[in-house]
Amino acid sequence: MKAWILMMLALSLPVSAFAEEGGKEEGGAPKVAYVSLTPPFVGNYALDGSPRLHVYKADVALKVTGAEAEAAVKHQDPLIRNQLVALFAQQTVDSLSNVESKEKLRQEALKQVQQVMNTEEGKPIVEDLLFNNLIVQ
């Protein structure tokens, strides 16, 4: 009976050690995650008085490392979304017309998300921002 208990304890040690590491891969490095901000962003932009309505749809994902960072981004989701909606609404037809300007928008969006995280969590946390889809009309 004593040997059986010792064997069960020995078998359970590796499992509990793995459970404590949570968001880590096999090598011990933190796991990279992409947090999709859902639902996609949809709204108007370039409200310059012209009769034509300009609409955008953006599917955004944020790259973070570790389970704690992923949880922090999910916790701050409403504030991040608010900041990005305000940024997208400020855009003009020219700022969304070519690849270079969309890349500038992506970098500005990343900067603003990092500012939100820095203010709320004490560090930028988000490593990159990706447009999985960006449609403008």
Side-chain angles (χ1 to χ4, degrees):
M1 180 73 167
K2 215 178 208 186
W4 185 78
I5 292 174
L6 287 174
M7 183 177 77
M8 292 305 291
L9 284 173
L11 289 175
S12 67
L13 284 177
V15 172
S16 63
F18 178 74
E20 289 175 17
E21 293 190 84
K24 296 192 177 190
E25 292 179 349
E26 287 182 27
K31 180 180 165 188
V32 172
Y34 293 91
V35 180
S36 292
L37 300 180
T38 53
F41 295 87
V42 178
N44 299 327
Y45 71 98
L47 301 174
D48 55 5
S50 69
R52 186 159 184 260
L53 183 63
H54 301 281
V55 180
Y56 70 87
K57 178 183 176 198
D59 290 312
V60 176
L62 304 175
K63 179 183 174 186
V64 297
T65 301
E68 288 179 19
E70 187 175 353
V73 165
K74 288 179 181 178
H75 179 71
Q76 298 300 335
D77 181 70
L79 193 54
I80 292 169
R81 292 183 69 81
N82 180 65
Q83 196 70 24
L84 291 177
V85 165
L87 175 65
F88 293 145
Q90 294 172 359
Q91 300 309 303
T92 64
V93 174
D94 291 338
S95 70
L96 293 174
S97 62
N98 59 43
V99 175
E100 293 84 20
S101 57
K102 288 178 182 177
E103 176 60 19
K104 285 182 185 176
L105 174 62
R106 186 192 71 78
Q107 290 176 1
E108 180 61 28
L110 173 60
K111 182 178 151 189
Q112 289 195 17
V113 168
Q114 287 175 332
Q115 285 176 342
V116 166
M117 296 307 292
N118 201 26
T119 301
E120 299 299 318
E121 300 289 333
K123 53 187 172 181
I125 296 175
V126 176
E127 298 167 22
D128 204 359
L129 181 142
L130 307 167
F131 288 133
N132 292 333
N133 199 357
L134 179 59
I135 301 169
V136 293
Q137 289 184 329

